[in-house]
Amino acid sequence: MTTSEPIDIHAHYKKGDKQTSGTVGYLDAGQDQVLKEVWIKLLAHFENTKDTPIKVEKSLVKNSGLAKAGISTSDTEAVEKWYTDNTDEVKEIKNQLVCDKLYLDGNRDIIVPSTFKPLFGDSADTRTFSNAFWQATMRFHSPDSYVLKFVRASGWDTDKAFARIRSSIERRITQEIDRLMWEGDTTQHNGVTQNGMCLHVGNDRLGSPVFIVTVRQNSPKLRSEANAEKLAAYALEKAAQLSRKYGEEALIVYDFAGFKLENVDLGFTKLIVTTLQELYPLTFTATLLFVNSWLFSGFWRAIRGWLDPAIAQRTVVVKDVQTLENFVDRSQIPVEMGGQNKYEYSYVYPTKEGNAKMFDTEGRQAAEAEFAAAVSAFVEQTKSWIDGSGPATHDAKLRSQAAAAFDTASANLDPFIRAQFYDERV
């Protein structure tokens, strides 16, 4: 059986090259066979579950005031009455969402369409496994890349990889990740968006985007548990999607400068770790812990046991800017961390204009039809590749062409099914 090799993350950054072994275009015969075996299991599961959709049971979106009350944003009279009756509650920092802040400030625009429409005609309360799978793969240039993330993280064990993919897709469905991205910033906690706790700031030495999490900005007392779970899911999915144009990987840096007891939140931290491992294996080339706080050693002892081997060997404790420079050029490191990047964060609220394509019904239908055709073509070429009915090089070429069509269709569909990110507004 093909097994994964230990990763020397320092060596990769020193050489300035990304890991290619075990990725699309760099598979040996054994790895190629494992990939085929996982696809065999996936295609069979698509067929076996096509008539048994999975229920949305733990939606991360339906905890907003309007959603709980069953009020559509298009019902202006009901919306106005709800805000009149609940003004004091939504003014509280702990409860206030971006949509609440916009409304209270007099912005009554509907930022995203009031009716959420899942892909391929799925109902609002259920999703089929295959539909959710194909939407999850959209952030990759090839569906193989998505599958291989789980395969590599599972040590090239076919059964473990399939089990992890299945669990990941089922979690995406039950938590309604597709709708979370549809709503975008509007249902995020307003205080968190204002302080910029998680930001995309520059790129690393491999060309991947750098996401900096300023841990001192985390204040459990100022947000609800439900908003914390929603934040973790949204921030990680956003980072994963933004990494698409940079080679499908990113670097995440946790800045512990000024870290205090009031910032300690083990529950939230464990939620981030489990979400990373279950939904985004090997999405981040490395996780850097930039440390200058005496509290960190105790915090680290508490969390390091939660890391699976794939993440643990990519996690590095960094104690000074000189070490951080091994991963990120000083020109890309923020000034407050000892670098030269004078990046200043100022939150820009979402607008209806920024999400214009989400309101274009005909454009959405055309883009979705293109995507459905691309999925169908990729599936057919994958079946041919598995069967080995034609010359290997011929099958590989046709499948590569199908993946390229899938990539184009994914990019075309994307702005119709999710709200614009802050990073795309500035």
PDB file of all heavy atoms in Angstrom, residues 4-40:
ATOM      1  N   SER A   4       2.008   7.784   3.101  1.00  0.00           N
ATOM      2  CA  SER A   4       2.460   9.175   3.039  1.00  0.00           C
ATOM      3  C   SER A   4       3.829   9.293   3.692  1.00  0.00           C
ATOM      4  O   SER A   4       4.183   8.534   4.579  1.00  0.00           O
ATOM      5  CB  SER A   4       1.460  10.089   3.769  1.00  0.00           C
ATOM      6  OG  SER A   4       1.278   9.660   5.095  1.00  0.00           O
ATOM      7  N   GLU A   5       4.618  10.249   3.242  1.00  0.00           N
ATOM      8  CA  GLU A   5       5.943  10.476   3.792  1.00  0.00           C
ATOM      9  C   GLU A   5       5.903  11.665   4.736  1.00  0.00           C
ATOM     10  O   GLU A   5       5.128  12.601   4.549  1.00  0.00           O
ATOM     11  CB  GLU A   5       6.942  10.743   2.669  1.00  0.00           C
ATOM     12  CG  GLU A   5       7.120   9.573   1.714  1.00  0.00           C
ATOM     13  CD  GLU A   5       8.100   9.904   0.600  1.00  0.00           C
ATOM     14  OE1 GLU A   5       8.586  11.046   0.577  1.00  0.00           O
ATOM     15  OE2 GLU A   5       8.365   9.028  -0.227  1.00  0.00           O
ATOM     16  N   PRO A   6       6.755  11.674   5.779  1.00  0.00           N
ATOM     17  CA  PRO A   6       6.820  12.825   6.680  1.00  0.00           C
ATOM     18  C   PRO A   6       7.171  14.089   5.895  1.00  0.00           C
ATOM     19  O   PRO A   6       7.952  14.044   4.944  1.00  0.00           O
ATOM     20  CB  PRO A   6       7.939  12.439   7.661  1.00  0.00           C
ATOM     21  CG  PRO A   6       7.985  10.937   7.604  1.00  0.00           C
ATOM     22  CD  PRO A   6       7.652  10.591   6.184  1.00  0.00           C
ATOM     23  N   ILE A   7       6.592  15.198   6.283  1.00  0.00           N
ATOM     24  CA  ILE A   7       6.815  16.459   5.587  1.00  0.00           C
ATOM     25  C   ILE A   7       7.762  17.348   6.398  1.00  0.00           C
ATOM     26  O   ILE A   7       7.540  17.585   7.584  1.00  0.00           O
ATOM     27  CB  ILE A   7       5.479  17.204   5.379  1.00  0.00           C
ATOM     28  CG1 ILE A   7       4.515  16.340   4.578  1.00  0.00           C
ATOM     29  CG2 ILE A   7       5.716  18.540   4.686  1.00  0.00           C
ATOM     30  CD1 ILE A   7       5.004  15.972   3.205  1.00  0.00           C
ATOM     31  N   ASP A   8       8.828  17.805   5.770  1.00  0.00           N
ATOM     32  CA  ASP A   8       9.711  18.789   6.394  1.00  0.00           C
ATOM     33  C   ASP A   8       9.287  20.146   5.856  1.00  0.00           C
ATOM     34  O   ASP A   8       9.720  20.594   4.790  1.00  0.00           O
ATOM     35  CB  ASP A   8      11.169  18.497   6.037  1.00  0.00           C
ATOM     36  CG  ASP A   8      12.135  19.434   6.752  1.00  0.00           C
ATOM     37  OD1 ASP A   8      11.675  20.474   7.268  1.00  0.00           O
ATOM     38  OD2 ASP A   8      13.342  19.140   6.781  1.00  0.00           O
ATOM     39  N   ILE A   9       8.383  20.794   6.591  1.00  0.00           N
ATOM     40  CA  ILE A   9       7.801  22.042   6.105  1.00  0.00           C
ATOM     41  C   ILE A   9       8.851  23.134   5.980  1.00  0.00           C
ATOM     42  O   ILE A   9       8.790  23.995   5.095  1.00  0.00           O
ATOM     43  CB  ILE A   9       6.631  22.477   7.012  1.00  0.00           C
ATOM     44  CG1 ILE A   9       5.738  23.468   6.260  1.00  0.00           C
ATOM     45  CG2 ILE A   9       7.103  23.038   8.332  1.00  0.00           C
ATOM     46  CD1 ILE A   9       5.046  22.875   5.054  1.00  0.00           C
ATOM     47  N   HIS A  10       9.863  23.110   6.858  1.00  0.00           N
ATOM     48  CA  HIS A  10      10.938  24.115   6.772  1.00  0.00           C
ATOM     49  C   HIS A  10      11.706  23.965   5.458  1.00  0.00           C
ATOM     50  O   HIS A  10      12.048  24.962   4.810  1.00  0.00           O
ATOM     51  CB  HIS A  10      11.902  23.950   7.957  1.00  0.00           C
ATOM     52  CG  HIS A  10      11.332  24.343   9.271  1.00  0.00           C
ATOM     53  ND1 HIS A  10      11.306  25.638   9.713  1.00  0.00           N
ATOM     54  CD2 HIS A  10      10.755  23.593  10.250  1.00  0.00           C
ATOM     55  CE1 HIS A  10      10.752  25.695  10.908  1.00  0.00           C
ATOM     56  NE2 HIS A  10      10.408  24.462  11.263  1.00  0.00           N
ATOM     57  N   ALA A  11      11.961  22.708   5.068  1.00  0.00           N
ATOM     58  CA  ALA A  11      12.720  22.465   3.840  1.00  0.00           C
ATOM     59  C   ALA A  11      11.960  22.955   2.618  1.00  0.00           C
ATOM     60  O   ALA A  11      12.545  23.527   1.686  1.00  0.00           O
ATOM     61  CB  ALA A  11      13.030  20.977   3.701  1.00  0.00           C
ATOM     62  N   HIS A  12      10.650  22.753   2.590  1.00  0.00           N
ATOM     63  CA  HIS A  12       9.845  23.200   1.444  1.00  0.00           C
ATOM     64  C   HIS A  12       9.924  24.719   1.292  1.00  0.00           C
ATOM     65  O   HIS A  12      10.058  25.243   0.179  1.00  0.00           O
ATOM     66  CB  HIS A  12       8.392  22.768   1.612  1.00  0.00           C
ATOM     67  CG  HIS A  12       8.136  21.354   1.188  1.00  0.00           C
ATOM     68  ND1 HIS A  12       8.245  20.937  -0.125  1.00  0.00           N
ATOM     69  CD2 HIS A  12       7.789  20.262   1.889  1.00  0.00           C
ATOM     70  CE1 HIS A  12       7.962  19.657  -0.202  1.00  0.00           C
ATOM     71  NE2 HIS A  12       7.685  19.211   0.998  1.00  0.00           N
ATOM     72  N   TYR A  13       9.833  25.422   2.397  1.00  0.00           N
ATOM     73  CA  TYR A  13       9.886  26.881   2.322  1.00  0.00           C
ATOM     74  C   TYR A  13      11.299  27.367   2.004  1.00  0.00           C
ATOM     75  O   TYR A  13      11.480  28.370   1.312  1.00  0.00           O
ATOM     76  CB  TYR A  13       9.360  27.502   3.618  1.00  0.00           C
ATOM     77  CG  TYR A  13       7.850  27.682   3.589  1.00  0.00           C
ATOM     78  CD1 TYR A  13       7.003  26.670   4.008  1.00  0.00           C
ATOM     79  CD2 TYR A  13       7.288  28.856   3.102  1.00  0.00           C
ATOM     80  CE1 TYR A  13       5.626  26.817   3.969  1.00  0.00           C
ATOM     81  CE2 TYR A  13       5.915  29.025   3.059  1.00  0.00           C
ATOM     82  CZ  TYR A  13       5.084  28.004   3.489  1.00  0.00           C
ATOM     83  OH  TYR A  13       3.718  28.161   3.429  1.00  0.00           O
ATOM     84  N   LYS A  14      12.298  26.656   2.509  1.00  0.00           N
ATOM     85  CA  LYS A  14      13.677  27.049   2.213  1.00  0.00           C
ATOM     86  C   LYS A  14      13.972  26.900   0.728  1.00  0.00           C
ATOM     87  O   LYS A  14      14.645  27.742   0.115  1.00  0.00           O
ATOM     88  CB  LYS A  14      14.648  26.197   3.034  1.00  0.00           C
ATOM     89  CG  LYS A  14      16.096  26.644   2.928  1.00  0.00           C
ATOM     90  CD  LYS A  14      16.990  25.848   3.867  1.00  0.00           C
ATOM     91  CE  LYS A  14      18.428  26.332   3.796  1.00  0.00           C
ATOM     92  NZ  LYS A  14      19.313  25.569   4.716  1.00  0.00           N
ATOM     93  N   LYS A  15      13.449  25.828   0.129  1.00  0.00           N
ATOM     94  CA  LYS A  15      13.642  25.605  -1.306  1.00  0.00           C
ATOM     95  C   LYS A  15      12.744  26.509  -2.148  1.00  0.00           C
ATOM     96  O   LYS A  15      13.002  26.747  -3.329  1.00  0.00           O
ATOM     97  CB  LYS A  15      13.342  24.141  -1.650  1.00  0.00           C
ATOM     98  CG  LYS A  15      14.324  23.133  -1.071  1.00  0.00           C
ATOM     99  CD  LYS A  15      13.891  21.712  -1.431  1.00  0.00           C
ATOM    100  CE  LYS A  15      14.826  20.679  -0.836  1.00  0.00           C
ATOM    101  NZ  LYS A  15      14.350  19.294  -1.130  1.00  0.00           N
ATOM    102  N   GLY A  16      11.659  26.970  -1.537  1.00  0.00           N
ATOM    103  CA  GLY A  16      10.730  27.830  -2.266  1.00  0.00           C
ATOM    104  C   GLY A  16       9.832  27.082  -3.214  1.00  0.00           C
ATOM    105  O   GLY A  16       9.355  27.647  -4.205  1.00  0.00           O
ATOM    106  N   ASP A  17       9.591  25.803  -2.919  1.00  0.00           N
ATOM    107  CA  ASP A  17       8.707  25.042  -3.800  1.00  0.00           C
ATOM    108  C   ASP A  17       7.623  24.332  -2.986  1.00  0.00           C
ATOM    109  O   ASP A  17       7.813  23.976  -1.836  1.00  0.00           O
ATOM    110  CB  ASP A  17       9.484  24.008  -4.624  1.00  0.00           C
ATOM    111  CG  ASP A  17      10.215  22.989  -3.752  1.00  0.00           C
ATOM    112  OD1 ASP A  17      10.113  23.087  -2.516  1.00  0.00           O
ATOM    113  OD2 ASP A  17      10.888  22.099  -4.311  1.00  0.00           O
ATOM    114  N   LYS A  18       6.468  24.190  -3.612  1.00  0.00           N
ATOM    115  CA  LYS A  18       5.364  23.504  -2.972  1.00  0.00           C
ATOM    116  C   LYS A  18       5.527  21.997  -3.127  1.00  0.00           C
ATOM    117  O   LYS A  18       6.163  21.520  -4.067  1.00  0.00           O
ATOM    118  CB  LYS A  18       4.034  23.941  -3.591  1.00  0.00           C
ATOM    119  CG  LYS A  18       3.679  25.390  -3.320  1.00  0.00           C
ATOM    120  CD  LYS A  18       2.270  25.701  -3.783  1.00  0.00           C
ATOM    121  CE  LYS A  18       1.878  27.136  -3.429  1.00  0.00           C
ATOM    122  NZ  LYS A  18       0.476  27.437  -3.786  1.00  0.00           N
ATOM    123  N   GLN A  19       4.920  21.262  -2.218  1.00  0.00           N
ATOM    124  CA  GLN A  19       4.951  19.814  -2.323  1.00  0.00           C
ATOM    125  C   GLN A  19       4.107  19.389  -3.516  1.00  0.00           C
ATOM    126  O   GLN A  19       2.943  19.777  -3.655  1.00  0.00           O
ATOM    127  CB  GLN A  19       4.403  19.161  -1.060  1.00  0.00           C
ATOM    128  CG  GLN A  19       4.441  17.643  -1.123  1.00  0.00           C
ATOM    129  CD  GLN A  19       3.681  16.994   0.017  1.00  0.00           C
ATOM    130  OE1 GLN A  19       3.067  17.670   0.827  1.00  0.00           O
ATOM    131  NE2 GLN A  19       3.720  15.670   0.069  1.00  0.00           N
ATOM    132  N   THR A  20       4.682  18.599  -4.400  1.00  0.00           N
ATOM    133  CA  THR A  20       3.941  18.122  -5.564  1.00  0.00           C
ATOM    134  C   THR A  20       3.662  16.623  -5.504  1.00  0.00           C
ATOM    135  O   THR A  20       2.704  16.150  -6.122  1.00  0.00           O
ATOM    136  CB  THR A  20       4.716  18.419  -6.861  1.00  0.00           C
ATOM    137  OG1 THR A  20       6.029  17.857  -6.767  1.00  0.00           O
ATOM    138  CG2 THR A  20       4.825  19.920  -7.091  1.00  0.00           C
ATOM    139  N   SER A  21       4.478  15.884  -4.770  1.00  0.00           N
ATOM    140  CA  SER A  21       4.275  14.445  -4.684  1.00  0.00           C
ATOM    141  C   SER A  21       2.884  14.129  -4.157  1.00  0.00           C
ATOM    142  O   SER A  21       2.445  14.680  -3.145  1.00  0.00           O
ATOM    143  CB  SER A  21       5.327  13.819  -3.752  1.00  0.00           C
ATOM    144  OG  SER A  21       5.090  12.435  -3.576  1.00  0.00           O
ATOM    145  N   GLY A  22       2.180  13.265  -4.865  1.00  0.00           N
ATOM    146  CA  GLY A  22       0.843  12.885  -4.437  1.00  0.00           C
ATOM    147  C   GLY A  22      -0.243  13.852  -4.850  1.00  0.00           C
ATOM    148  O   GLY A  22      -1.380  13.758  -4.383  1.00  0.00           O
ATOM    149  N   THR A  23       0.085  14.798  -5.731  1.00  0.00           N
ATOM    150  CA  THR A  23      -0.917  15.746  -6.216  1.00  0.00           C
ATOM    151  C   THR A  23      -1.213  15.477  -7.687  1.00  0.00           C
ATOM    152  O   THR A  23      -0.535  14.672  -8.339  1.00  0.00           O
ATOM    153  CB  THR A  23      -0.430  17.195  -6.035  1.00  0.00           C
ATOM    154  OG1 THR A  23       0.737  17.410  -6.848  1.00  0.00           O
ATOM    155  CG2 THR A  23      -0.075  17.475  -4.577  1.00  0.00           C
ATOM    156  N   VAL A  24      -2.204  16.159  -8.225  1.00  0.00           N
ATOM    157  CA  VAL A  24      -2.610  15.961  -9.621  1.00  0.00           C
ATOM    158  C   VAL A  24      -1.421  16.206 -10.546  1.00  0.00           C
ATOM    159  O   VAL A  24      -0.758  17.238 -10.468  1.00  0.00           O
ATOM    160  CB  VAL A  24      -3.771  16.903  -9.994  1.00  0.00           C
ATOM    161  CG1 VAL A  24      -4.078  16.802 -11.490  1.00  0.00           C
ATOM    162  CG2 VAL A  24      -5.020  16.558  -9.187  1.00  0.00           C
ATOM    163  N   GLY A  25      -1.161  15.224 -11.407  1.00  0.00           N
ATOM    164  CA  GLY A  25      -0.052  15.328 -12.337  1.00  0.00           C
ATOM    165  C   GLY A  25       1.247  14.768 -11.802  1.00  0.00           C
ATOM    166  O   GLY A  25       2.244  14.705 -12.540  1.00  0.00           O
ATOM    167  N   TYR A  26       1.263  14.373 -10.514  1.00  0.00           N
ATOM    168  CA  TYR A  26       2.497  13.866  -9.902  1.00  0.00           C
ATOM    169  C   TYR A  26       2.227  12.582  -9.110  1.00  0.00           C
ATOM    170  O   TYR A  26       2.746  12.394  -8.008  1.00  0.00           O
ATOM    171  CB  TYR A  26       3.098  14.927  -8.970  1.00  0.00           C
ATOM    172  CG  TYR A  26       3.500  16.190  -9.670  1.00  0.00           C
ATOM    173  CD1 TYR A  26       2.605  17.252  -9.787  1.00  0.00           C
ATOM    174  CD2 TYR A  26       4.761  16.334 -10.230  1.00  0.00           C
ATOM    175  CE1 TYR A  26       2.971  18.429 -10.428  1.00  0.00           C
ATOM    176  CE2 TYR A  26       5.138  17.507 -10.867  1.00  0.00           C
ATOM    177  CZ  TYR A  26       4.233  18.548 -10.976  1.00  0.00           C
ATOM    178  OH  TYR A  26       4.593  19.705 -11.613  1.00  0.00           O
ATOM    179  N   LEU A  27       1.409  11.711  -9.650  1.00  0.00           N
ATOM    180  CA  LEU A  27       1.074  10.458  -8.980  1.00  0.00           C
ATOM    181  C   LEU A  27       1.884   9.300  -9.557  1.00  0.00           C
ATOM    182  O   LEU A  27       2.017   9.189 -10.780  1.00  0.00           O
ATOM    183  CB  LEU A  27      -0.413  10.138  -9.142  1.00  0.00           C
ATOM    184  CG  LEU A  27      -1.428  11.175  -8.617  1.00  0.00           C
ATOM    185  CD1 LEU A  27      -2.842  10.674  -8.874  1.00  0.00           C
ATOM    186  CD2 LEU A  27      -1.215  11.467  -7.152  1.00  0.00           C
ATOM    187  N   ASP A  28       2.396   8.445  -8.672  1.00  0.00           N
ATOM    188  CA  ASP A  28       3.024   7.230  -9.178  1.00  0.00           C
ATOM    189  C   ASP A  28       1.937   6.181  -9.401  1.00  0.00           C
ATOM    190  O   ASP A  28       0.742   6.438  -9.134  1.00  0.00           O
ATOM    191  CB  ASP A  28       4.118   6.727  -8.228  1.00  0.00           C
ATOM    192  CG  ASP A  28       3.604   6.357  -6.835  1.00  0.00           C
ATOM    193  OD1 ASP A  28       2.441   5.936  -6.708  1.00  0.00           O
ATOM    194  OD2 ASP A  28       4.376   6.475  -5.860  1.00  0.00           O
ATOM    195  N   ALA A  29       2.299   5.022  -9.891  1.00  0.00           N
ATOM    196  CA  ALA A  29       1.312   3.998 -10.243  1.00  0.00           C
ATOM    197  C   ALA A  29       0.467   3.578  -9.036  1.00  0.00           C
ATOM    198  O   ALA A  29      -0.763   3.404  -9.144  1.00  0.00           O
ATOM    199  CB  ALA A  29       2.009   2.782 -10.849  1.00  0.00           C
ATOM    200  N   GLY A  30       1.112   3.418  -7.894  1.00  0.00           N
ATOM    201  CA  GLY A  30       0.383   3.010  -6.694  1.00  0.00           C
ATOM    202  C   GLY A  30      -0.595   4.068  -6.233  1.00  0.00           C
ATOM    203  O   GLY A  30      -1.728   3.769  -5.833  1.00  0.00           O
ATOM    204  N   GLN A  31      -0.167   5.335  -6.284  1.00  0.00           N
ATOM    205  CA  GLN A  31      -1.037   6.433  -5.889  1.00  0.00           C
ATOM    206  C   GLN A  31      -2.214   6.585  -6.847  1.00  0.00           C
ATOM    207  O   GLN A  31      -3.350   6.841  -6.435  1.00  0.00           O
ATOM    208  CB  GLN A  31      -0.224   7.723  -5.819  1.00  0.00           C
ATOM    209  CG  GLN A  31       0.825   7.724  -4.715  1.00  0.00           C
ATOM    210  CD  GLN A  31       1.804   8.874  -4.834  1.00  0.00           C
ATOM    211  OE1 GLN A  31       1.977   9.470  -5.913  1.00  0.00           O
ATOM    212  NE2 GLN A  31       2.479   9.210  -3.738  1.00  0.00           N
ATOM    213  N   ASP A  32      -1.945   6.408  -8.122  1.00  0.00           N
ATOM    214  CA  ASP A  32      -3.002   6.475  -9.134  1.00  0.00           C
ATOM    215  C   ASP A  32      -4.057   5.406  -8.875  1.00  0.00           C
ATOM    216  O   ASP A  32      -5.257   5.657  -9.006  1.00  0.00           O
ATOM    217  CB  ASP A  32      -2.390   6.299 -10.525  1.00  0.00           C
ATOM    218  CG  ASP A  32      -3.354   6.675 -11.639  1.00  0.00           C
ATOM    219  OD1 ASP A  32      -3.736   7.860 -11.706  1.00  0.00           O
ATOM    220  OD2 ASP A  32      -3.719   5.790 -12.434  1.00  0.00           O
ATOM    221  N   GLN A  33      -3.626   4.231  -8.469  1.00  0.00           N
ATOM    222  CA  GLN A  33      -4.556   3.138  -8.195  1.00  0.00           C
ATOM    223  C   GLN A  33      -5.414   3.441  -6.964  1.00  0.00           C
ATOM    224  O   GLN A  33      -6.618   3.173  -6.961  1.00  0.00           O
ATOM    225  CB  GLN A  33      -3.786   1.827  -7.977  1.00  0.00           C
ATOM    226  CG  GLN A  33      -4.674   0.606  -7.745  1.00  0.00           C
ATOM    227  CD  GLN A  33      -5.635   0.346  -8.894  1.00  0.00           C
ATOM    228  OE1 GLN A  33      -5.305   0.554 -10.073  1.00  0.00           O
ATOM    229  NE2 GLN A  33      -6.846  -0.096  -8.567  1.00  0.00           N
ATOM    230  N   VAL A  34      -4.811   4.018  -5.943  1.00  0.00           N
ATOM    231  CA  VAL A  34      -5.580   4.390  -4.751  1.00  0.00           C
ATOM    232  C   VAL A  34      -6.647   5.423  -5.109  1.00  0.00           C
ATOM    233  O   VAL A  34      -7.797   5.329  -4.669  1.00  0.00           O
ATOM    234  CB  VAL A  34      -4.651   4.941  -3.643  1.00  0.00           C
ATOM    235  CG1 VAL A  34      -5.477   5.525  -2.491  1.00  0.00           C
ATOM    236  CG2 VAL A  34      -3.737   3.851  -3.118  1.00  0.00           C
ATOM    237  N   LEU A  35      -6.262   6.398  -5.925  1.00  0.00           N
ATOM    238  CA  LEU A  35      -7.216   7.415  -6.358  1.00  0.00           C
ATOM    239  C   LEU A  35      -8.392   6.773  -7.091  1.00  0.00           C
ATOM    240  O   LEU A  35      -9.560   7.124  -6.865  1.00  0.00           O
ATOM    241  CB  LEU A  35      -6.523   8.449  -7.253  1.00  0.00           C
ATOM    242  CG  LEU A  35      -7.412   9.579  -7.787  1.00  0.00           C
ATOM    243  CD1 LEU A  35      -8.017  10.394  -6.658  1.00  0.00           C
ATOM    244  CD2 LEU A  35      -6.601  10.488  -8.729  1.00  0.00           C
ATOM    245  N   LYS A  36      -8.096   5.809  -7.963  1.00  0.00           N
ATOM    246  CA  LYS A  36      -9.165   5.105  -8.676  1.00  0.00           C
ATOM    247  C   LYS A  36     -10.102   4.399  -7.704  1.00  0.00           C
ATOM    248  O   LYS A  36     -11.334   4.443  -7.854  1.00  0.00           O
ATOM    249  CB  LYS A  36      -8.561   4.073  -9.643  1.00  0.00           C
ATOM    250  CG  LYS A  36      -7.987   4.638 -10.913  1.00  0.00           C
ATOM    251  CD  LYS A  36      -7.513   3.526 -11.844  1.00  0.00           C
ATOM    252  CE  LYS A  36      -6.949   4.099 -13.139  1.00  0.00           C
ATOM    253  NZ  LYS A  36      -6.499   3.045 -14.075  1.00  0.00           N
ATOM    254  N   GLU A  37      -9.526   3.740  -6.722  1.00  0.00           N
ATOM    255  CA  GLU A  37     -10.334   2.987  -5.770  1.00  0.00           C
ATOM    256  C   GLU A  37     -11.258   3.895  -4.958  1.00  0.00           C
ATOM    257  O   GLU A  37     -12.399   3.532  -4.658  1.00  0.00           O
ATOM    258  CB  GLU A  37      -9.419   2.181  -4.842  1.00  0.00           C
ATOM    259  CG  GLU A  37      -8.694   1.040  -5.560  1.00  0.00           C
ATOM    260  CD  GLU A  37      -7.644   0.378  -4.702  1.00  0.00           C
ATOM    261  OE1 GLU A  37      -7.500   0.773  -3.522  1.00  0.00           O
ATOM    262  OE2 GLU A  37      -6.950  -0.539  -5.204  1.00  0.00           O
ATOM    263  N   VAL A  38     -10.777   5.091  -4.625  1.00  0.00           N
ATOM    264  CA  VAL A  38     -11.626   6.036  -3.896  1.00  0.00           C
ATOM    265  C   VAL A  38     -12.755   6.528  -4.789  1.00  0.00           C
ATOM    266  O   VAL A  38     -13.906   6.644  -4.358  1.00  0.00           O
ATOM    267  CB  VAL A  38     -10.801   7.220  -3.354  1.00  0.00           C
ATOM    268  CG1 VAL A  38     -11.717   8.238  -2.674  1.00  0.00           C
ATOM    269  CG2 VAL A  38      -9.754   6.735  -2.372  1.00  0.00           C
ATOM    270  N   TRP A  39     -12.448   6.791  -6.055  1.00  0.00           N
ATOM    271  CA  TRP A  39     -13.487   7.226  -6.990  1.00  0.00           C
ATOM    272  C   TRP A  39     -14.527   6.124  -7.208  1.00  0.00           C
ATOM    273  O   TRP A  39     -15.721   6.409  -7.342  1.00  0.00           O
ATOM    274  CB  TRP A  39     -12.872   7.640  -8.331  1.00  0.00           C
ATOM    275  CG  TRP A  39     -12.488   9.090  -8.378  1.00  0.00           C
ATOM    276  CD1 TRP A  39     -11.230   9.606  -8.437  1.00  0.00           C
ATOM    277  CD2 TRP A  39     -13.383  10.212  -8.338  1.00  0.00           C
ATOM    278  NE1 TRP A  39     -11.275  10.993  -8.451  1.00  0.00           N
ATOM    279  CE2 TRP A  39     -12.589  11.387  -8.394  1.00  0.00           C
ATOM    280  CE3 TRP A  39     -14.764  10.343  -8.267  1.00  0.00           C
ATOM    281  CZ2 TRP A  39     -13.136  12.671  -8.375  1.00  0.00           C
ATOM    282  CZ3 TRP A  39     -15.316  11.624  -8.247  1.00  0.00           C
ATOM    283  CH2 TRP A  39     -14.507  12.761  -8.303  1.00  0.00           C
ATOM    284  N   ILE A  40     -14.107   4.889  -7.224  1.00  0.00           N
ATOM    285  CA  ILE A  40     -15.063   3.784  -7.353  1.00  0.00           C
ATOM    286  C   ILE A  40     -16.054   3.822  -6.201  1.00  0.00           C
ATOM    287  O   ILE A  40     -17.276   3.679  -6.389  1.00  0.00           O
ATOM    288  CB  ILE A  40     -14.315   2.426  -7.385  1.00  0.00           C
ATOM    289  CG1 ILE A  40     -13.552   2.272  -8.704  1.00  0.00           C
ATOM    290  CG2 ILE A  40     -15.299   1.260  -7.210  1.00  0.00           C
ATOM    291  CD1 ILE A  40     -12.612   1.077  -8.734  1.00  0.00           C
TER     292      ILE A  40
END
